[in-house]
Amino acid sequence: MTDKGELRLLPWSGPDGKPCYLSTDDRDGYMSRLADNVEAVQLGMAAELLDQAQEVLGAEDADLGELRPLTRRLTEALQDVLRVATSRGLLLSVGDSHHS
């Protein structure tokens, strides 16, 4: 069994909201590629949402009705981006320990 430092944090949660991990040595395997693709989509969506937020916040006539759903979507995107950053940070630290 691998220790938690060698597990990849996946970019989605389980049904109960807990983190999901992948244990594999194959970074080119199906699940690793799927996780890479999901992360890329999440980061792309976050970038688009950031553009939208900057546009809404820059508008003189932005109203509360626009800001609430935007804030909700920004919060969800930030959670995704933090999960991706955590996962990639863990992957980097594991990669560094294998090269030492």
Side-chain angles (χ1 to χ4, degrees):
M1 186 79 180
T2 57
D3 68 0
K4 196 159 190 136
E6 295 175 353
L7 299 177
R8 177 179 180 168
L9 176 64
L10 294 172
W12 54 80
S13 298
D16 54 358
K18 293 185 179 179
C20 292
Y21 293 90
L22 174 64
S23 175
T24 183
D25 294 330
D26 185 4
R27 289 194 178 183
D28 292 321
Y30 174 78
M31 288 301 294
S32 294
R33 288 191 325 268
L34 177 62
D36 290 342
N37 290 336
V38 170
E39 287 178 351
V41 168
Q42 289 173 329
L43 293 174
M45 290 173 61
E48 289 175 18
L49 189 55
L50 180 59
D51 289 342
Q52 181 185 355
Q54 290 170 331
E55 186 177 309
V56 168
L57 293 173
E60 295 283 327
D61 60 344
D63 66 7
L64 194 56
E66 288 180 283
L67 295 176
R68 283 191 175 145
L70 177 61
T71 303
R72 188 176 305 111
R73 291 176 44 218
L74 283 168
T75 301
E76 292 166 356
L78 183 57
Q79 288 172 330
D80 290 342
V81 168
L82 284 173
R83 185 181 294 120
V84 170
T86 300
S87 176
R88 291 185 181 185
L90 292 172
L91 288 175
L92 289 174
S93 68
V94 169
D96 289 344
S97 68
H98 287 274
H99 290 101
S100 299

